[in-house]
Amino acid sequence: MAVRTPDPDPDWTPGPDDAPPPASAANPGWLSDIELMEARRRLPLLYVEAVPVRVDGMGQVIEVGILLRATATGQMTRTLVSGRVLYGETLRDALYRHLEKDLGPMAFPQLPPAPTPFSVAEYFPMPGVGKYHDDRQHAVSLAYVVPVTGTCDPRQDALELTWMTPGEAASAEISDDMEGGRGALLRAALASVGVLP
Amino acid sequence: MAVRTPDPDPDWTPGPDDAPPPASAANPGWLSDIELMEARRRLPLLYVEAVPVRVDGMGQVIEVGILLRATATGQMTRTLVSGRVLYGETLRDALYRHLEKDLGPMAFPQLPPAPTPFSVAEYFPMPGVGKYHDDRQHAVSLAYVVPVTGTCDPRQDALELTWMTPGEAASAEISDDMEGGRGALLRAALASVGVLP
Amino acid sequence: MAVRTPDPDPDWTPGPDDAPPPASAANPGWLSDIELMEARRRLPLLYVEAVPVRVDGMGQVIEVGILLRATATGQMTRTLVSGRVLYGETLRDALYRHLEKDLGPMAFPQLPPAPTPFSVAEYFPMPGVGKYHDDRQHAVSLAYVVPVTGTCDPRQDALELTWMTPGEAASAEISDDMEGGRGALLRAALASVGVLP
Amino acid sequence: MAVRTPDPDPDWTPGPDDAPPPASAANPGWLSDIELMEARRRLPLLYVEAVPVRVDGMGQVIEVGILLRATATGQMTRTLVSGRVLYGETLRDALYRHLEKDLGPMAFPQLPPAPTPFSVAEYFPMPGVGKYHDDRQHAVSLAYVVPVTGTCDPRQDALELTWMTPGEAASAEISDDMEGGRGALLRAALASVGVLP
């Protein structure tokens, strides 16, 4: 099974209803599929990931949003909001772009004031190097917990966003469905906001 | 000059328009002035502090709110939102209560999802022990950066809430006016959200 | 069963082989048993807690130390290094003192450069307020992961320090034995250093 | 003046006395100068940076190490330990490799147990995008405070490692000499360990 760091094709060949990433037209940081494939074999790629959450009036996390999607072979997997940082793009812009891409334009994510991630996840294509894996590439991902206040409407290849309690999100059942070992990253997210059981 | 960890009298003898702190009526965690004075000579007291900020649409801090007030001797000093954690009160409840006390009921603070402070400030009554001091007591304060989205209307003994840029807030001029050495705490707050010059 | 935030009697009435806490003789921050009991019903008490770990040459946590001890009724429970911060004592001094008290003088703990805890645990005597509880008091604990490089020799009422892998430490079996709900705090510690499964 | 994210040539064409980076011989993650130049115009490159410190017996930072070096035009500049993360290399391995490269083999750095950086610095080649700049490339750097316990002997193009107090390191004079705006990163490092004045 091909477990992948989410980075769907439309990211690279945006359709008519996709806003181009910031500054992409004006700078050379745009890769053809072949060039990206080459880069993936030579350099660690920089990613951002987000765990969307709902908070109560006191800022306490009460629900966690997990994406459900189908792989090319029809298998169901769960994952987090995730995507590559483009050349010339700030981390905040990348985080916002991928939240909008995965949750729709009405999610109203509240990006955290602090640029420091709750964790840094290292994905390796070769087995056994770390606890996260991605058979396409070596990716390093800065992961954030992001409260969303609006309505989420997953786009692209995500079938659904499932809201669950922290306890459910931390369960072995959910972990087993998470792509690339992200169950551990999800539990680290819960721990960082004080709701890991 | 009496530099104090802000903890105004109404905190201890709430007037008719002050909501009692959670559970205070039902439990014995209510101290007379004399008892509090005794405790202050025997135990480190637990405080929370908040640096109110305004963020832009991407979560980036653009302004910082600093309280201005007059001491008993008429001297002007600057300080942060600050106050004691009561018996039986959660940190979130204490943080929210003091934000409302110092910024008014329409400030709409967004408490952070993570319970971990950006810094822990230790205030000692004796000089030279640490970089923060409070001549009344040994206080340990958990400090948070808190975005506010509403209208701030300082109450009690604060004269004014001044909004300033991160650069202004980090200046030596502002630091010199801050009570108890809090200029360093304010700069640490700015650093934690990536806007310390 | 009396689940307690560890704070053994010798802390309050030190025996001949116990070094007095810093500055205790010279200041008034010394409480009789009755006074301490009074304070416990009126104020949140400030604690520090430590999760002792062994790291490899690259700083990666490979083992976690958990204390095993017997309660007054003979029941076995597990806990972390923990204890109260005294009047006039810095957090570093308190952390060091309790590490030495629980692990012996040859543990050589390496206190972290950053004063920010990986988590803040709130213990309440009343059930249902938070996920940590302590039937004696309201305690707020700043928790740190502390590498130790020497030989641990538990003193006082601890029977044994058990070293285990992060995976074992995160297990439900160990959690069930932990006092006051500290299994969640232990897992948060593992998450903060990137080794929570 | 060409201000650069330090990444000297020997990094890419190791001489006989340089250990090859992990796994480099066996994988394709090795770039020619031309390929690296191409990648620099297309992708954000991932870096690690370290602020070497000396700590006292209680873990408190007492001195900070800053590298001094001469640019190609003979100008003196100051910088931090810094370098690129290679394909297939873990962040810890990259951090260790660059610490050894810049401080020599006897520095005995103690990598932090937590993989989370104290800050993430974004360097852009175009002016005005953020507060850090690098005219060669878009680089994103994970920055860590690293205690060193041995003897530092700067190698390669660094002339000297200067130890200074936190107060000196935070000064405007030192900041003005730091490459790429790293004075702000250095102050954030000091704040993260509680010693920013």
Side-chain angles (χ1 to χ4, degrees), chain A residues 3 33 146:
Chain A
V3 176
D33 282 1
V146 181

Side-chain angles (χ1 to χ4, degrees), chain B residues 178-193:
Chain B
M178 300 284 296
E179 292 182 344
R182 281 181 183 78
L185 189 59
L186 178 55
R187 277 190 291 273
L190 299 172
S192 77
V193 292

Side-chain angles (χ1 to χ4, degrees), chain C residues 58-60 92-93 110 113-114 192, chain D residues 58-60 92-93 110 113-114:
Chain C
M58 302 300 283
Q60 184 87 44
R92 281 184 193 281
D93 283 337
Q110 299 181 296
S192 77
Chain D
M58 301 300 282
Q60 184 88 42
R92 280 183 194 281
D93 284 337
Q110 299 181 297

Side-chain angles (χ1 to χ4, degrees), chain D residues 39-103:
Chain D
R40 283 189 160 138
R41 293 175 46 225
R42 305 292 186 87
L43 289 169
L45 293 194
L46 182 66
Y47 273 67
V48 286
E49 290 190 271
V51 180
V53 298
R54 296 225 182 258
V55 299
D56 67 14
M58 301 300 282
Q60 184 88 42
V61 169
I62 49 175
E63 283 189 317
V64 182
I66 315 283
L67 292 166
L68 180 71
R69 66 177 169 189
T71 63
T73 59
Q75 190 176 354
M76 292 296 177
T77 62
R78 294 185 189 273
T79 195
L80 306 175
V81 172
S82 174
R84 194 163 73 84
V85 180
L86 299 180
Y87 180 86
E89 189 181 35
T90 67
L91 291 169
R92 280 183 194 281
D93 284 337
L95 197 52
Y96 198 90
R97 179 170 59 87
H98 289 292
L99 282 160
E100 190 168 61
K101 178 197 72 187
D102 284 346
L103 303 183

Side-chain angles (χ1 to χ4, degrees), chain A residues 53 55-61 90 92-94 96-97 109-116 145 147 149 191-194, chain B residues 53 55-61 90 92-94 96-97 109-116 145 147 149 191-194:
Chain A
V53 297
V55 298
D56 67 15
M58 301 300 282
Q60 184 88 45
V61 169
T90 66
R92 281 185 193 278
D93 283 337
Y96 198 89
R97 179 169 60 85
Q110 300 181 296
L111 299 197
T116 315
V145 172
T149 57
S192 77
V193 292
Chain B
V53 298
V55 298
D56 67 14
M58 302 299 284
Q60 184 88 43
V61 169
T90 66
R92 281 183 193 279
D93 284 337
Y96 198 90
R97 179 169 60 85
Q110 299 182 295
L111 298 197
T116 315
V145 173
T149 58
S192 77
V193 292

